[in-house]
Amino acid sequence: MCCAIRRPRRWASPAWPSGPAERCTHLDLALTPPYQLKGNRVGLGVTGATAIEDLTEAQAREELARLADELGRANTAYHRDDAPEITDADYDALKRRNAAIEARFPALKRADSPSDQVGARPGEGFAKIEHAVRMMSLGNAFDDEDVTGFDTGIRKYLGLAADAALAYTAEPKIDGLSLSLRYEAGILMQAATRGDGAIGENVTENARTIGDIPDRIAAAPEILEVRGEVYMSHADFATLNERQAGAGAKTFANPRNAAAGSLRQLDPAITKDRPLRFFAYGWGVLSEPLAGTQFAAIERLAAMGFATNPLTVLCAGPGDMLAQYREIETQRATLGYDIDGVVYKVDDLALQARLGVRSTTPRWAIAHKFPAELAWTRLEAIDIQVGRTGALSPVARLTPVTVGGVVVSNATLHNEDYIAGRDASGNAIRDGKDIRVGDWVQVYRAGDVIPKLADVDLAKRPADAAPYVFPDICPECGSAAIREQGDAVRRCSGGMICPAQAVEKLKHFVSRKAFDIDGLGSKQVEQFHSDGWIAEPADIFTLRDRYGSGLQQLKNRDGWGEKSAENLFRAIDEKRSIPLGRLIFALGIRHVGEAASNLLATHYGSWYAFERAMGEAEAQEGAAWEDLTAIDGVGAVMAGSLVTAFAQDGERASIDRLVAHLDVEDAARPDTDGSPVAGLTVVFTGTLEMMTRAEAKARAEALGARVSGSVSARTDIVIAGPGAGSKARKAAELGIRTLDEDGWLDLIGAR
């Protein structure tokens, strides 16, 4: 990965991809004191990166693309491969940057947004277990203001006054591997890793070898799913590495890697020989509640025989939470195991249920992470990579340096302005110091994320170091690399004639959240494109026809045999039937991410309706355009990108050739039998007094209604609270049914 943090075992043969510039994440990162992270202005004035509130829309799109790719690969490396290439704090800072940009530019949220992802797809060595209750990740806090903001947000969502009693628990965040344990009648029946949150790996026999995990428990509910963290103590980790080294076996980079690798051994005897431990901190499926509060439920798990963290305490509010954070931070070095922050949870389980969850994180919990580190090293080279959208991104190749126990060999350089020592507005950054090959540079990692360069030591600059000249020619295809006015990024103008862009579009098409064809990953796409076998997605579905059985051409290649070739063609055939949302996402249309693709699929229902609507909206005016832009979560920029893609003859022809080989499945509709608002479009405006706007929207969508952000002729109901303004007036002008909050609650039977 282009901005990878590589561990020592990978120094010998670093593999630099020829892939997209989007893989270089352009981020603002938190710094340890004296540098501060405040709001969205991360590291501003220290790194010279553009503050989020100063980003142009084009800059925001580019950053979100890079973040999605970098975080996706980080998830796979960490959760599936047990070989993380970035640290937890670095990862957290990337996700925070991504979320902040999405909050400012909601219309730019991608279908593959990291905000909607948990973990990574399970590996192939274990049987799979579907989690009955999804295993979530946690949102992050990095400073005191984030913690008080978390409390304020909870109160606002629940409608609680600032002085109303609201208790939280605080506990150390263990740096290990998440594990779910299912007990039936007190007997351990299965154990599963988190995987991608929905499906994990069956590691039951391995979990039975861990001393902290009981095989049987008494006085438990009939069904009890205990969740916690598998970890390894510092002392046990040191002993294990000594033993491994003495036997000439692989040593581990850190306790988390050792714990994850040990739990995921195919031979349980190896796991049994490893000193693994387990802390219980939560639960999934229950046949009956454990208690009425988080704290009491953890106490009950302890009474059943599970190890729970003794530093878990009750807090009356943000003041107590921050005090416990600082207390745990002072003990961090002497705990004997790795932690990377403190987790706060709303204590009242009834309030947890009311708060609910977002796509991947609960609203009632947050992780307060520990801060970042710095180091100096030599900049050996600057490489340019070209991505799926043609963006040219510079990557710093560094003399490897250890930063907080992790080896850093690459860092992002953002764009040509950043290298030259200025921001997007032309103002000086780093006191105007540019970055040159040969420079001695300061590297930093936010919290424990993708490295960046913070400063340059001019006193150590070589006498022959020349200013870096950013290329205006694409290094992949030789086309002009153009920087449009207002855009911080220079892009290749070659389009599909540029091999980097063509290959990356095909990689996106076969990616996990798109067509996800077994046996056809990034390496195979590069190989087949290089050989001229596939130039566009439709070519994938004609491979067998164009090469007879396909076996004569494929089975003699390196890594392929008759069985693997036949398996590939069978996998391709299996994906000829594809859900509408996946197909829309797979097209790789700019600004249209996974979440937006699913929104579009739900709204239009079928490929025929979607395709027709895109054609009718081509002029970006009229009823079809108004209907498209009224979809909650689809803005004018995304809508324009959609209709433009379908209006271009070449792209439309490519889409038509693809769809001719597919059976596109209609979007599933929610089970809304008996719902009085199923299929209706509703708009909320003004102040709601009996529920928050978020709760009202969630309730309406659960009943099968479409929630729109604007009033149009296609709106069915407007719910107007006190202070309703232009939307209520427009509804009256159009003769749209308007209800107050009481009327809405009566209509949906919520009173």
Side-chain angles (χ1 to χ4, degrees):
M1 51 202 296
C2 70
C3 293
I5 299 178
R6 301 185 183 274
R7 301 195 178 281
R9 65 185 178 85
R10 299 183 65 173
W11 286 8
S13 57
W16 305 118
S18 59
E22 282 85 345
R23 293 186 177 180
C24 268
T25 310
H26 294 181
L27 308 171
D28 297 330
L29 302 180
L31 297 178
T32 46
Y35 310 119
Q36 299 295 319
L37 174 115
K38 297 294 182 184
N40 290 336
R41 302 185 69 85
V42 189
L44 187 63
V46 179
T47 69
T50 305
I52 291 173
E53 59 265 37
D54 296 335
L55 286 174
T56 65
E57 192 169 280
Q59 290 172 320
R61 284 195 300 269
E62 183 63 26
E63 290 208 24
L64 289 175
R66 291 167 179 160
L67 284 164
D69 189 75
E70 197 66 49
L71 284 164
R73 288 180 293 120
N75 276 333
T76 298
Y78 184 90
H79 292 286
R80 190 193 70 187
D81 300 338
D82 302 325
E85 295 181 340
I86 62 175
T87 63
D88 288 348
D90 287 343
Y91 176 87
D92 292 336
L94 288 178
K95 289 202 75 170
R96 191 177 193 219
R97 173 72 169 171
N98 185 82
I101 295 173
E102 290 177 343
R104 183 172 174 228
F105 299 95
L108 300 187
K109 184 175 179 181
R110 296 167 56 88
D112 58 347
S113 169
S115 301
D116 299 330
Q117 297 176 8
V118 175
R121 187 179 184 182
E124 298 302 321
F126 294 88
K128 307 301 183 289
I129 290 180
E130 183 173 356
H131 298 298
V133 175
R134 187 177 180 88
M135 294 187 74
M136 311 290 283
S137 59
L138 292 173
N140 293 321
F142 294 93
D143 56 25
D144 292 4
E145 288 81 359
D146 290 340
V147 177
T148 56
F150 168 66
D151 176 68
T152 300
I154 293 290
R155 292 176 183 276
K156 182 177 179 181
Y157 191 96
L158 296 173
L160 295 178
D163 58 353
L166 183 59
Y168 296 89
T169 61
E171 63 187 88
K173 184 177 183 299
I174 310 301
D175 189 11
L177 182 73
S178 296
L179 186 67
S180 179
L181 308 168
R182 182 183 174 95
Y183 290 83
E184 297 179 8
I187 300 173
L188 178 62
M189 302 301 293
Q190 68 181 33
T193 63
R194 177 164 61 181
D196 63 2
I199 298 175
E201 297 164 317
N202 187 340
V203 292
T204 306
E205 296 309 311
N206 294 14
R208 293 185 192 280
T209 70
I210 301 175
D212 289 337
I213 296 177
D215 282 330
R216 295 174 178 269
I217 51 177
E222 182 67 20
I223 303 295
L224 170 63
E225 185 183 344
V226 178
R227 292 178 174 176
E229 204 82 359
V230 174
Y231 70 101
M232 189 175 291
S233 73
H234 293 162
D236 288 340
F237 170 70
T239 300
L240 174 63
N241 261 356
E242 289 176 4
R243 193 171 70 202
Q244 292 287 105
K250 182 189 77 172
T251 57
F252 296 94
N254 54 53
R256 194 273 170 192
N257 281 17
S262 298
L263 180 65
R264 299 178 71 253
Q265 291 290 325
L266 294 178
D267 183 358
I270 298 177
T271 304
K272 184 177 182 179
D273 196 42
R274 302 283 174 82
L276 297 180
R277 305 189 182 195
F278 179 79
F279 272 133
Y281 59 67
W283 53 90
V285 174
L286 297 172
S287 58
E288 63 184 64
L290 290 174
T293 66
Q294 178 78 25
F295 193 79
I298 296 301
E299 286 186 320
R300 187 170 176 194
L301 289 177
M304 292 177 188
F306 291 97
T308 60
N309 199 289
L311 293 177
T312 304
V313 300
L314 266 176
C315 301
D320 287 354
M321 294 152 71
L322 292 170
Q324 182 65 6
Y325 173 86
R326 293 184 175 93
E327 174 63 25
I328 292 175
E329 189 174 29
T330 62
Q331 299 183 43
R332 184 180 182 187
T334 57
L335 289 177
Y337 51 85
D338 282 343
I339 63 173
D340 56 6
V342 176
V343 177
Y344 309 123
K345 301 174 183 176
V346 172
D347 189 45
D348 188 322
L349 298 185
L351 293 182
Q352 286 190 13
R354 184 178 168 191
L355 287 160
V357 300
R358 305 177 190 89
S359 59
T360 62
T361 61
R363 290 188 181 89
W364 43 265
I366 197 167
H368 189 177
K369 306 304 287 289
F370 295 132
E373 301 181 60
L374 298 153
W376 288 88
T377 189
R378 186 77 63 190
L379 174 62
E380 297 180 347
I382 297 176
D383 291 348
I384 299 294
Q385 294 186 331
V386 183
R388 178 165 57 93
T389 64
L392 273 63
S393 289
V395 183
R397 306 305 189 195
L398 307 170
T399 300
V401 60
T402 299
V403 185
V406 177
V407 177
V408 175
S409 55
N410 316 302
T412 178
L413 288 172
H414 303 291
N415 53 48
E416 56 191 289
D417 287 336
Y418 183 81
I419 295 173
R422 57 179 179 264
D423 63 19
S425 301
N427 301 314
I429 59 174
R430 296 186 305 274
D431 296 324
K433 292 181 285 187
D434 66 338
I435 295 173
R436 306 181 184 185
V437 174
D439 275 344
W440 191 252
V441 293
Q442 188 181 52
V443 184
Y444 70 92
R445 296 170 27 247
D448 272 341
V449 177
I450 300 301
K452 301 170 74 89
L453 303 188
D455 204 357
V456 177
D457 187 348
L458 294 182
K460 294 185 178 180
R461 171 169 285 175
D464 59 350
Y468 181 76
V469 178
F470 204 91
D472 56 9
I473 298 296
C474 173
E476 296 288 341
C477 70
S479 299
I482 300 169
R483 180 176 176 180
E484 296 179 356
Q485 186 173 0
D487 196 343
V489 177
R490 190 173 292 274
R491 297 180 187 276
C492 168
S493 60
M496 290 299 286
I497 70 166
C498 177
Q501 292 185 63
V503 168
E504 292 309 315
K505 286 178 183 293
L506 287 165
K507 287 181 181 178
H508 172 80
F509 183 83
V510 301
S511 64
R512 180 167 62 91
K513 297 200 173 184
F515 270 68
D516 191 23
I517 299 172
D518 286 342
L520 189 60
S522 295
K523 291 181 180 179
Q524 290 77 23
V525 164
E526 290 176 353
Q527 182 184 53
F528 291 176
H529 182 271
S530 175
D531 290 346
W533 288 18
I534 57 174
E536 62 173 43
D539 294 340
I540 293 171
F541 295 93
T542 63
L543 275 173
R544 189 193 293 267
D545 293 339
R546 286 186 288 124
Y547 294 101
S549 69
L551 301 179
Q552 293 88 346
Q553 301 291 336
L554 191 58
K555 70 180 183 180
N556 295 323
R557 301 189 64 109
D558 289 343
W560 292 92
E562 183 170 340
K563 183 176 181 180
S564 58
E566 184 55 41
N567 286 342
L568 172 61
F569 291 117
R570 184 182 301 112
I572 291 173
D573 288 339
E574 288 173 354
K575 292 304 170 77
R576 292 179 188 272
S577 179
I578 193 78
L580 176 58
R582 277 184 174 261
L583 172 58
I584 295 172
F585 174 59
L587 296 179
I589 298 171
R590 288 188 72 185
H591 315 307
V592 183
E594 182 191 12
S597 298
N598 290 329
L599 281 174
L600 291 162
T602 300
H603 183 81
Y604 291 108
S606 68
W607 172 257
Y608 172 76
F610 171 69
E611 179 186 39
R612 183 182 62 185
M614 295 306 100
E616 292 175 350
E618 179 181 343
Q620 300 192 18
E621 60 182 17
W625 174 256
E626 290 181 4
D627 182 52
L628 174 59
T629 55
I631 299 172
D632 196 29
V634 176
V637 172
M638 184 191 302
S641 184
L642 278 162
V643 299
T644 299
F646 277 80
Q648 293 177 355
D649 292 342
E651 189 161 0
R652 178 57 187 270
S654 176
I655 292 172
D656 289 344
R657 286 191 291 270
L658 168 66
V659 174
H661 296 285
L662 304 176
D663 175 17
V664 185
E665 302 168 11
D666 291 350
R669 298 293 186 183
D671 183 6
T672 55
D673 289 346
S675 168
V677 296
L680 301 184
T681 299
V682 302
V683 174
F684 293 96
T685 183
T687 302
L688 301 182
E689 299 176 321
M690 300 180 201
M691 64 180 74
T692 64
R693 182 69 61 84
E695 288 179 292
K697 178 182 176 182
R699 178 75 65 87
E701 290 176 340
L703 291 170
R706 299 169 180 167
V707 179
S708 176
S710 61
V711 176
S712 72
R714 299 196 178 196
T715 303
D716 296 296
I717 304 174
V718 172
I719 299 91
S726 60
K727 293 179 183 178
R729 289 192 296 272
K730 186 172 183 180
E733 293 170 0
L734 295 174
I736 294 170
R737 182 183 182 187
T738 302
L739 302 174
D740 60 14
E741 189 173 4
D742 287 330
W744 168 252
L745 293 175
D746 287 338
L747 175 63
I748 65 174
R751 295 173 62 85

